[in-house]
Amino acid sequence: MNDVKLTELTNWLKRNDISLAYISDPASVAYFTGFESEPHERILALFVPAEGAPFLFTPALDVKEAEHSGFSYDVVGYLDNESPFEKIKTEITARYGLPKEMALEKGALTLDRFEAIQSAFLETRFSFDLTPEIARMQLIKTTAEIDKLLTAGSWADVAFEIGFKAIKEGISEQEIVAEIEYHLKKQGISHMSFDTLVLAGENAANPHGTPGAHQIEANQLVLFDLGVIANGYCSDATRTVAYKEPTALQQKIHQIVLEAQLTAQAAVKPGILASELDKIARDVIAGYGYGEYFNHRLGHGIGASVHEYPSLVEGNDLIIEEGMCFSLEPGIYIPNQVGVRIEDCVYVTKDGCQPFTTTPKELMILN
């Protein structure tokens, strides 16, 4: 449980004269409580009042697990045949009275659930959005959070090693994904932070392609984009390797992307703008004439969720500060020819940054 952040949220509620916060995103619930769960169609929520103790609301079948997660306040469960929002109303009014103002995560709450909570509290105002406040709270990582991210990063390195060893002629992208995730599960990693990408040849020219039955062939580049969840925190890293001797074009594109990634990483320090980092990497690629083929932002924040604030993109003039954590992932994607992306997530130090992953980024030629 994150007592420091719960206190910070409570103080924010008091400053803004808000009676109650309704936290509905499972990732946000985990961030504050330490309880990780994907409720699917059921309701999972954390209610934090300006005055009084918070409580966690879960499906009945998750109550015991939530109670043993480290959350030290009440856990309230509901059965499938009960109306969750009626029970929520009963619990809230019994504990705090009718709230005058309730803040919501607008970025995470579906319309039907907003209408349900609104119907249960007809006299309550819902004018405050928690989403940007939680993003701000997550922006600067503590030492303990960085340690967890380093652990997750070390598991990404293990995943790369497994994947590289699995490459051979005739094996499919899907089979390599299966090898990676099977061996990680055997070692205790139960969840990836997103669907593992293994994309070979021209398939890698699709930045968010889907691994399929395509078989690895000699003289192809193979792009690995992967990450794990360890102790509630995520990793995210990308390497592009060659199976047998790469072509001159493949080597050239890889070298340009590597230069862009290393140049941006070397520029990270407190005081630089997020938009400046994006421009630094983009200028390297554009300088070689491939600017049109770098068609996404440079990076995104990372923490308890694999994609957090900030976005390293043109127009975002956020000042980078010590303790921020984000990805640096330039790429070049030439349709029907070649795709290369190289990514490390880093944490900002007092005078630079350090990556969470250590797998070499230079072009590896696997035989």
Side-chain angles (χ1 to χ4, degrees):
M1 187 177 76
N2 200 330
D3 285 312
V4 172
K5 294 301 180 180
L6 277 173
T7 299
E8 189 176 336
L9 177 58
T10 298
N11 290 336
W12 180 83
L13 293 171
K14 290 176 181 176
R15 288 196 305 272
N16 289 279
D17 197 26
I18 302 169
S19 309
L20 187 65
Y22 168 25
I23 297 167
S24 55
D25 185 340
S28 299
V29 172
Y31 177 70
F32 287 106
T33 69
F35 176 56
E36 298 175 43
S37 176
E38 176 46 67
H40 302 292
E41 74 280 6
R42 295 183 173 95
I43 304 297
L44 171 67
L46 173 66
F47 292 95
V48 181
E51 302 289 345
F55 74 93
L56 186 56
F57 187 81
T58 77
L61 49 82
D62 291 334
V63 167
K64 290 298 181 185
E65 188 176 352
E67 289 175 339
H68 290 95
S69 67
F71 184 66
S72 57
Y73 299 103
D74 289 347
V75 178
V76 177
Y78 80 97
L79 298 168
D80 285 347
N81 63 342
E82 294 182 293
S83 168
F85 287 98
E86 282 301 316
K87 191 158 188 177
I88 285 170
K89 181 179 181 179
T90 299
E91 289 291 333
I92 286 174
T93 52
R95 293 166 186 268
Y96 322 122
L98 283 171
K100 294 180 179 179
E101 185 93 42
M102 193 184 303
L104 311 169
E105 286 184 284
K106 292 184 179 180
L109 195 63
T110 61
L111 179 59
D112 65 321
R113 292 185 179 181
F114 169 67
E115 290 176 343
I117 195 77
Q118 191 178 44
S119 295
F121 295 93
L122 293 173
E123 297 180 6
T124 299
R125 296 187 301 275
F126 297 91
S127 58
F128 278 85
D129 182 12
L130 274 172
T131 302
E133 177 59 20
I134 292 175
R136 185 198 63 76
M137 292 171 64
Q138 293 175 324
L139 190 57
I140 306 296
K141 301 311 192 270
T142 64
T143 301
E145 287 180 298
I146 288 172
D147 285 344
K148 291 177 180 179
L149 287 162
L150 283 165
T151 298
S154 70
W155 280 107
D157 288 323
V158 172
F160 282 133
E161 184 178 3
I162 296 166
F164 297 166
K165 287 180 178 178
I167 292 180
K168 60 184 178 182
E169 192 148 359
I171 193 171
S172 72
E173 297 165 338
Q174 287 176 321
E175 288 176 301
I176 297 174
V177 171
E179 283 287 310
I180 292 169
E181 297 188 1
Y182 168 72
H183 286 288
L184 287 176
K185 286 181 186 294
K186 286 185 68 175
Q187 296 180 68
I189 296 297
S190 57
H191 293 95
M192 307 303 287
S193 49
F194 55 94
D195 290 342
T196 301
L197 295 184
V198 176
L199 303 168
E202 64 184 46
N203 287 354
N206 181 351
H208 283 170
T210 301
H214 175 82
Q215 296 180 339
I216 307 300
E217 300 173 8
N219 315 117
Q220 283 188 332
L221 296 184
V222 186
L223 186 154
F224 290 79
D225 189 354
L226 51 81
V228 310
I229 301 175
N231 300 317
Y233 280 72
C234 298
S235 54
D236 182 6
T238 307
R239 297 291 187 270
T240 305
V241 300
Y243 177 57
K244 299 194 182 297
E245 195 62 32
T247 67
L249 176 64
Q250 290 167 349
Q251 293 182 67
K252 177 183 179 182
I253 297 302
H254 190 282
Q255 185 58 41
I256 294 169
V257 174
L258 178 61
E259 182 181 335
Q261 203 281 334
L262 292 174
T263 303
Q265 188 165 310
V268 175
K269 62 181 179 180
I272 196 169
L273 304 182
S275 56
E276 287 182 281
L277 291 174
D278 180 86
K279 186 176 186 302
I280 286 168
R282 205 165 296 280
D283 284 351
V284 170
I285 292 174
Y288 286 98
Y290 291 95
E292 65 182 293
Y293 300 112
F294 179 16
N295 54 12
H296 56 73
R297 63 187 175 181
L298 175 63
H300 56 80
I302 192 166
S305 298
V306 72
H307 282 185
E308 292 186 354
Y309 187 75
S311 182
L312 274 59
V313 67
E314 180 182 1
N316 182 10
D317 290 335
L318 175 77
I319 298 172
I320 300 301
E321 298 179 50
E322 184 177 355
M324 290 184 181
C325 301
F326 45 77
S327 70
L328 300 165
E329 49 182 303
I332 294 175
Y333 315 94
I334 305 174
N336 304 314
Q337 292 190 57
V338 61
V340 174
R341 181 165 64 255
I342 301 172
E343 171 189 15
D344 271 335
C345 288
V346 303
Y347 64 96
V348 183
T349 63
K350 63 180 180 181
D351 55 5
C353 72
Q354 289 293 324
F356 294 115
T357 37
T358 60
T359 299
K361 290 180 279 196
E362 292 74 21
L363 183 58
M364 297 174 62
I365 301 175
L366 306 175
N367 292 302

